[in-house]
Amino acid sequence: MSTACMPTPDDRQFALFQTSPASPPPSSRVTAGSSGRRFLRGDATAIFLGMTPLEDHLRQSGIRAPFVVAELLDAQDWTPFEDRYATTGRAPYAPRAMMGLILYGIMQGVSSLRALERLARVDLGAMWVTGGIAPDHANIGRFICLHEQALSQTFFEALTRTVLARTGTSTACLAGDGTVIEAACSHYRLLKEEAVRARVSQARIGHQQALPEQQDETQQQLDRAHACEQVLDARIAARRRHGKRTDTVRVSLTEPEAAMQRQKRGRGFAPAYTPSVLANEARIIVAHAVDPTSETRVVGELIDQSERVEPKIPRELLLDAGYFDDGVINATLARDVSLLCPPRPSTTDKTKGLYHKNLFTYDAEQDVYYCPVGQRLQRISHINASVRSREQTVYACNACEDCPQRIACTRSVRGRRIKHYPEDEARLALQQIMTHPGAQAVFRQRKAMVEPVFSALRQQQGLSRFRRRGLAGVKREFSLHTLAYNLARAVALSLCHHL
């Protein structure tokens, strides 16, 4: 036999890049996981470029990120993932390799399932992280759906602990922020109240007249229409409570949880969600959450997650003026967290065009308020809580008649009055803390700690718009982005230390 017909070592090694997508690469092997289930695992050390091992090629090229990512993923416990698979049937891809592909791809700004499928076949860094497996987009999508709860909770917390240990940082001082990111649904197909009511009526009639084999489909359509109507009614009721117009309320039939919100950088209004994060001094995300509209509503949830990541650490939380809210203050007090948050910079009461209550200084020792020009407001009455009113103390000024600022302060013939509520005690205490130079110096770190996080998510990872629909899908997608972001931060900090 001629030696020219015999495959050389080079041929066998280069053949790893010529395998059919339908079959696993030759470098993959089927081994049992810790749960006893057999998984298809890659073997990055068996991949060669010509005569050069992939590992040597990456190191010679100065590409270090895949090694850091692989080390961090290897340090995780994959048993909870492996336990979710059936014990029989064809061996699935190992969760460690699948997660490596997804997170490494998002780090590169690749988040669509088909783009991840292609990345596994052409990117050398991805091959090292995954061991050379090549799943199709359907396998990737099923993997994400199967493990969605672990992605946002247990796995995120475990990986974040590893990243904190690797970078030598903690959760003692955290900064929080939120942003608005556009939803997947089109803002050209939003429905107003009349259209929503008509959809419900049509869906109900269609379900009543449907054939037996169509009942399931028409019932789903009716359920979607009812869900859309419920969201519409809740938003209309909320607007009426605040004295706002209700004729402009619009809802997406396919994604009713997304709310119309003002977009960043003057891009107008669109259906969107509000993701929030807490980050430490190294800009590592230690907690994340998504709400349809509110940044303040999830503060307690964020603090609780940071506690699970690194328990029993006294925490200091830095939040901007948008979080100066009774709910936020109560959430931090209940969890024994030191809060630094300035009051909203309101110069006037937006509802009346007058000086806002925040501009009046309260003196607890004398139990009086001082107005912006220094006049005293004395206590004149106290009202106990009842069915019709909240508990409150009223303060009034008797020097408003000749005050040059009267027109900007009050329109009442009795002069300006201030209502002091029980929750104002915590607000005033926080305002007093924020006047201290030391507190102001610590608070100035907030911007550098958390604001670059969303810049990186948008610019480097391409999170300018969600791809998944519905609040559950959005939470799953944002969890993946925060995981990938933390890996990217670990890579960046490791390379800085290496240099």
Side-chain angles (χ1 to χ4, degrees):
M1 180 183 294
S2 172
T3 56
C5 298
M6 298 177 63
T8 66
D10 290 1
D11 295 329
R12 289 194 298 270
Q13 291 155 355
F14 191 72
L16 293 172
F17 298 94
Q18 299 174 332
T19 55
S20 169
S23 59
S27 59
S28 297
R29 61 189 188 278
V30 179
T31 59
S34 55
S35 63
R37 180 66 166 99
R38 292 171 64 80
F39 291 94
L40 188 64
R41 306 175 187 277
D43 185 4
T45 60
I47 302 177
F48 285 72
L49 276 75
M51 293 293 293
T52 306
L54 176 59
E55 180 178 4
D56 294 345
H57 175 80
L58 293 175
R59 294 189 187 280
Q60 292 167 10
S61 302
I63 303 175
R64 300 190 181 94
F67 299 104
V68 178
V69 173
E71 289 172 11
L72 291 171
L73 293 177
D74 287 340
Q76 306 310 308
D77 179 14
W78 297 100
T79 303
F81 287 83
E82 296 172 352
D83 288 341
R84 294 189 180 92
Y85 291 90
T87 57
T88 59
R90 182 179 177 182
Y93 287 111
R96 154 66 180 81
M98 293 289 286
M99 187 66 75
L101 171 61
I102 295 166
L103 298 184
Y104 186 80
I106 294 177
M107 289 171 60
Q108 318 305 315
V110 177
S111 57
S112 75
L113 300 182
R114 291 187 182 275
L116 288 171
E117 177 184 338
R118 182 176 184 275
L119 186 80
R121 292 166 167 78
V122 302
D123 188 278
L124 298 180
M127 290 180 187
W128 178 261
V129 172
T130 65
I133 67 166
D136 62 22
H137 64 279
N139 279 330
I140 300 171
R142 284 193 292 268
F143 175 85
I144 294 173
C145 292
L146 178 62
H147 304 290
E148 61 176 314
Q149 186 173 2
L151 295 178
S152 60
Q153 295 182 14
T154 55
F155 182 71
F156 170 82
E157 293 159 13
L159 181 62
T160 302
R161 278 192 291 271
T162 305
V163 171
L164 291 174
R166 173 76 181 247
T167 58
T169 58
S170 73
T171 62
C173 184
L174 301 176
D177 201 5
T179 191
V180 175
I181 296 181
E182 191 174 349
C185 63
S186 171
H187 63 279
Y188 295 110
R189 302 182 65 181
L190 299 177
L191 305 178
K192 291 188 176 181
E193 181 177 7
E194 182 180 353
V196 172
R197 310 292 186 202
R199 288 292 184 110
V200 173
S201 178
Q202 292 172 4
R204 186 180 295 112
I205 294 172
H207 182 60
Q208 292 171 351
Q209 298 177 351
L211 297 174
E213 61 270 18
Q214 299 174 326
Q215 288 291 317
D216 290 343
E217 181 181 354
T218 56
Q219 182 63 51
Q220 291 177 2
Q221 294 175 355
L222 181 59
D223 291 342
R224 284 197 297 268
H226 275 307
C228 187
E229 185 180 40
Q230 290 173 0
V231 171
L232 176 77
D233 290 339
R235 291 179 184 172
I236 289 176
R239 289 208 169 202
R240 284 174 177 163
R241 285 196 302 270
H242 292 87
K244 297 181 179 180
R245 294 174 54 186
T246 61
D247 58 333
T248 58
V249 177
R250 293 178 291 172
V251 180
S252 169
L253 183 63
T254 59
E255 200 169 0
E257 294 161 310
M260 288 294 294
Q261 299 184 66
R262 185 186 297 276
Q263 301 298 293
K264 300 291 183 179
R265 303 190 223 16
R267 294 178 57 198
F269 288 82
Y273 295 93
T274 305
S276 301
V277 301
L278 295 184
N280 69 358
E281 68 275 10
R283 300 201 300 274
I284 296 168
I285 298 175
V286 301
H288 63 87
V290 180
D291 188 86
T293 58
S294 176
E295 296 175 348
T296 61
R297 195 155 44 219
V298 299
V299 168
E301 178 184 344
L302 292 171
I303 297 174
D304 291 341
Q305 186 168 47
S306 70
E307 173 69 24
R308 293 193 298 271
V309 169
E310 195 172 31
K312 299 180 181 179
I313 295 259
R315 282 173 177 75
E316 192 166 46
L317 183 59
L318 316 180
L319 301 174
D320 65 21
Y323 288 86
F324 196 85
D325 175 84
D326 293 332
V328 173
I329 295 173
N330 292 335
T332 55
L333 288 174
R335 294 164 174 82
D336 197 24
V337 173
S338 175
L339 175 64
L340 293 181
C341 178
R344 290 186 175 92
S346 302
T347 56
T348 60
D349 187 329
K350 294 181 180 180
T351 61
K352 301 178 181 178
L354 305 175
Y355 283 146
H356 194 272
K357 178 180 174 180
N358 288 346
L359 297 178
F360 290 72
T361 304
Y362 180 67
D363 187 332
E365 293 184 1
Q366 301 185 44
D367 193 22
V368 297
Y369 273 91
Y370 288 95
C371 76
V373 296
Q375 296 294 340
R376 290 163 60 101
L377 284 80
Q378 305 280 357
R379 174 173 174 166
I380 62 171
S381 65
H382 180 81
I383 302 172
N384 292 321
S386 66
V387 177
R388 301 183 59 184
S389 65
R390 300 162 60 191
E391 181 182 354
Q392 57 192 267
T393 303
V394 182
Y395 298 79
C397 181
N398 56 11
C400 294
E401 185 69 28
D402 301 322
C403 180
Q405 297 295 321
R406 178 186 175 91
I407 191 172
C409 186
T410 182
R411 298 194 182 112
S412 173
V413 295
R414 299 179 298 176
R416 179 63 186 261
R417 297 192 174 194
I418 294 291
K419 294 180 179 179
H420 183 94
Y421 300 101
E423 58 266 27
D424 287 340
E425 297 293 338
R427 284 179 168 237
L428 292 169
L430 181 55
Q431 284 182 257
Q432 185 65 29
I433 290 172
M434 292 304 299
T435 63
H436 194 280
Q440 294 174 359
V442 173
F443 181 76
R444 281 194 288 270
Q445 303 174 44
R446 191 200 71 85
K447 285 186 177 181
M449 290 171 63
V450 71
E451 293 194 359
V453 171
F454 285 109
S455 176
L457 290 174
R458 290 179 185 275
Q459 302 300 324
Q460 297 175 17
Q461 296 184 190
L463 187 58
S464 58
R465 181 176 183 175
F466 287 112
R467 293 176 177 271
R468 277 72 185 177
R469 295 181 183 271
L471 184 59
V474 166
K475 288 183 176 181
R476 182 167 63 240
E477 182 177 357
F478 190 64
S479 295
L480 290 172
H481 274 279
T482 56
L483 285 163
Y485 170 85
N486 279 350
L487 286 177
R489 284 302 298 157
V491 169
L493 294 172
S494 296
L495 294 183
C496 288
H497 179 73
H498 179 79
L499 295 174

